Amino acid sequence: MDKIYSKGCRIEETLKILGNKWTFLIIKNLMGDKLRFNELLHLLNGISPKTLTERLRSLEKEGIITRKIYPEIPPKVEYKLTPKGDDLKIILDTLNQWGKKYI
């Protein structure tokens, strides 16, 4: 087996960050847009608020998204991709092309 696919490889490490059920769908929805929590919740049909919160926190911790809080009542919070998150576009484009070809 090729060294890049061995135990502890970069693919395995990457999937630890991005492999959760909703992660790529969150990233897809943030491509080119900044969105508020409720907008994401609405776009991700079936995700619970708790799960969305967990995924957003994880992505923020990894430096893939940023969270901007506006000092308003009620508080306004927007999420957007960082340059690190923008770099995932090529992966999403490749997944989209694969899906068009085989699904």
Side-chain angles (χ1 to χ4, degrees):
M1 182 178 278
D2 194 329
K3 187 176 181 179
I4 66 167
Y5 298 111
S6 65
K7 186 174 173 78
C9 74
R10 298 287 184 207
I11 294 170
E12 185 178 336
E13 296 301 314
T14 301
L15 286 174
K16 286 179 184 176
I17 298 168
L18 301 174
N20 290 315
K21 180 178 180 181
W22 296 99
T23 302
F24 266 113
L25 295 175
I26 292 168
I27 293 167
K28 176 192 77 94
N29 281 289
L30 288 172
M31 284 286 164
D33 291 321
K34 53 185 169 189
L35 296 171
R36 295 178 69 176
F37 184 88
N38 283 333
E39 291 171 321
L40 280 166
L41 194 61
H42 177 74
L43 290 168
L44 300 166
N45 189 26
I47 193 171
S48 71
K50 179 183 179 210
T51 300
L52 179 55
T53 298
E54 289 171 357
R55 297 295 184 266
L56 290 170
R57 285 181 182 158
S58 175
L59 289 168
E60 185 179 14
K61 179 183 165 213
E62 294 295 338
I64 295 170
I65 66 169
T66 59
R67 177 179 58 156
K68 184 174 182 179
I69 303 169
Y70 295 89
E72 301 176 0
I73 305 288
K76 177 181 175 183
V77 179
E78 288 181 337
Y79 298 91
K80 74 174 198 170
L81 292 176
T82 63
K84 182 178 179 179
D86 285 332
D87 282 349
L88 294 167
K89 184 178 186 320
I90 191 168
I91 296 170
L92 291 172
D93 289 343
T94 301
L95 286 171
N96 186 44
Q97 290 302 316
W98 187 90
K100 284 180 182 178
K101 186 173 182 179
Y102 295 107
I103 297 175

